[in-house]
Amino acid sequence: MGAWGGSLRRRRVSTRLGVSLLLAAVVLAACGGGDNVPSEAGGSGAPSGGSATPSATPSAPVADPERAVDPPGPLEGRLWAADIMIYGQTSLTPEQVAAIKALDGVDAVEVFSLSQVSIENQVLTVAAVNPTTYRHFNPVATAQEIDVWTRIAGGELALPPETAATVADDEDFVKLGNDKDAPRIHIGVYAAQVPRVDMVVNSAWGKELGMVEDNAMLVSTGMTSPQAMREPLRAIIGKGSSIQDLDAVARYGLDPDAQQTAILTGGSVAQAVGSFNYRVLDGGRIAPDQAWVQANIRTEEVPILGRVTCHKAMLPQLRAAMTEILTRGLADKINRNQYAGCYYPRFIANTQQLSLHSFGIAVDLNVAGNQRGTVGEMDRTVVEIFKKWGFAWGGDWAWTDPMHFEMNAVVKVG
């Protein structure tokens, strides 16, 4: 249950998002966002009417001046279909970008930053973008609604309402990462997103989060099949990056033929864990890159639990927590027979989202009495000991998971 079972929490998002957010949500829903406009100039033709309709003058205030970028202004020029997404653990070089632009079958590209943040054991993808240019590759209604891009430029977050329902706090903020000191960002607007993107922020927020700059690209291929472009793109970017057919993503949730990449961001824990490529297997399992597994995953003895398999960055803190629990006479509060594991390379059940168990930095304890959505029976002194040693507790979440503890800070041991 704690690692990947149960459903995401279903609580109503607060209505205090403001008139502009609600107005934009209604506009986007009414426009039926989700389909991109086909590309022109060697592609499949221009949008209806020949060009995108310019939006009205922006009215949204700058919510976060310290993390604001230049406002986008009215939409100018045409929209492009987001056919392929490229992303990897390192920045695309100017030479790679130029070579991709020059390929036959490539009509347009957009370079941006892409990473993942963990929020209550969901690993969600966040894009840090230039609002003026990235909007041209978005679903039509999203691209045309200027309030979306003005609010992103002003330092706020854009995401679909169904995602907000699982991650927003009572003040309509989202904590970008599970790290204890991860920053919080205000939700500015609901909007449909490009496939494989859960949330959008501006480039200033990308720097705040320490995201790898320009490690992702959207490619519009017009009449050319995205599958036909896979090998020419691979020849330019090499084997280390992911090439996603976004039509397959829209249909299946991910491109089953593509290598996937997990790039955590949001604080010192993400830096300690590192990033890895992986392949999707049957039954919701994944196969992380063996080089990352060999460098980071260890099987060691810890008090009470015995042999555990976890990330090497977490093991000293887990050992310290279990040692203190033992020395304080609380060993009977941990049922060794109900330890449900640490490193589990797979998706959360019935989703295509990774959990922190896939990175080996979470443990599930006393499973029987601590099911998802309950108060649970976890001893509160044990909880406080875990928090002391750099762990967050799932019992504190809005949709509780009291068996679950995850590393949320790097704590020096010894």
Side-chain angles (χ1 to χ4, degrees), residues 111-130:
V111 179
F112 60 105
S113 301
L114 194 74
S115 191
Q116 285 91 34
V117 294
S118 177
I119 304 172
E120 297 194 359
N121 202 33
Q122 304 172 68
V123 178
L124 303 176
T125 300
V126 56
V129 309
N130 177 338

Side-chain angles (χ1 to χ4, degrees), residues 69 110-116 125-131 133-134 149 152 156-157 176 193 197-217 265:
V69 299
E110 175 66 13
V111 179
F112 60 105
S113 301
L114 194 74
S115 191
Q116 285 91 34
T125 300
V126 56
V129 309
N130 177 338
T133 56
Y134 178 82
W149 306 102
I152 292 172
E156 294 183 283
L157 179 69
L176 293 177
Q193 301 298 329
V197 173
D198 298 306
M199 302 181 287
V200 175
V201 299
N202 65 32
S203 55
W205 265 104
K207 293 178 181 178
E208 172 88 10
L209 292 170
M211 294 173 66
V212 178
E213 189 173 358
D214 294 344
N215 68 323
M217 175 189 283
T265 192

Side-chain angles (χ1 to χ4, degrees), residues 312-330:
K312 65 181 183 181
M314 192 187 81
L315 277 166
Q317 294 173 212
L318 177 62
R319 184 177 293 108
M322 301 307 292
T323 298
E324 182 168 343
I325 290 167
L326 180 64
T327 58
R328 292 178 63 175
L330 298 170

Side-chain angles (χ1 to χ4, degrees), residues 136-225:
H136 289 258
F137 289 77
N138 273 250
V140 176
T142 301
Q144 291 181 344
E145 178 51 55
I146 194 170
D147 206 39
V148 172
W149 306 102
T150 303
R151 286 184 173 274
I152 292 172
E156 294 183 283
L157 179 69
L159 74 175
E162 61 270 20
T163 302
T166 70
V167 299
D169 64 22
D170 290 338
E171 297 178 323
D172 304 314
F173 279 79
V174 174
K175 187 179 180 184
L176 293 177
N178 82 310
D179 199 286
K180 188 175 183 179
D181 298 321
R184 295 165 70 242
I185 183 172
H186 187 256
I187 298 173
V189 66
Y190 296 146
Q193 301 298 329
V194 169
R196 296 295 286 167
V197 173
D198 298 306
M199 302 181 287
V200 175
V201 299
N202 65 32
S203 55
W205 265 104
K207 293 178 181 178
E208 172 88 10
L209 292 170
M211 294 173 66
V212 178
E213 189 173 358
D214 294 344
N215 68 323
M217 175 189 283
L218 293 175
V219 181
S220 182
T221 63
M223 291 294 290
T224 304
S225 164

Side-chain angles (χ1 to χ4, degrees), residues 12-13 17 25 36 40 60 85 106 145 155 204 244 277 288 290 303 311 325 328 359 384 387 401 405:
R12 181 181 62 83
V13 177
L17 293 178
N36 284 326
E40 59 177 335
M85 179 185 289
V106 171
E145 178 51 55
Q244 303 275 325
N277 295 325
Q290 277 302 303
H311 195 287
I325 290 167
R328 292 178 63 175
F359 298 84
E384 291 308 311
K387 289 181 177 180
D401 193 2
F405 293 88

Side-chain angles (χ1 to χ4, degrees), residues 20 75 99 110 168 200 227 337 388:
S20 292
L75 180 64
E110 175 66 13
V200 175
Q227 288 294 326
N337 295 325
K388 170 185 172 181

Side-chain angles (χ1 to χ4, degrees), residues 1-5 118 121 123 276 286 288 292 297 309-311 314 339-348 354-365 397 401 403-406:
M1 284 289 291
W4 53 79
S118 177
N121 202 33
V123 178
F276 60 84
I286 68 167
W292 179 86
I297 302 301
T309 300
C310 303
H311 195 287
M314 192 187 81
Y339 165 62
C342 179
Y343 174 60
Y344 284 126
R346 62 178 297 163
F347 294 123
I348 296 171
L354 299 176
S355 83
L356 289 186
H357 286 277
S358 296
F359 298 84
I361 57 170
V363 293
D364 289 337
L365 305 173
W397 298 346
D401 193 2
M403 72 178 73
H404 181 92
F405 293 88
E406 62 183 40

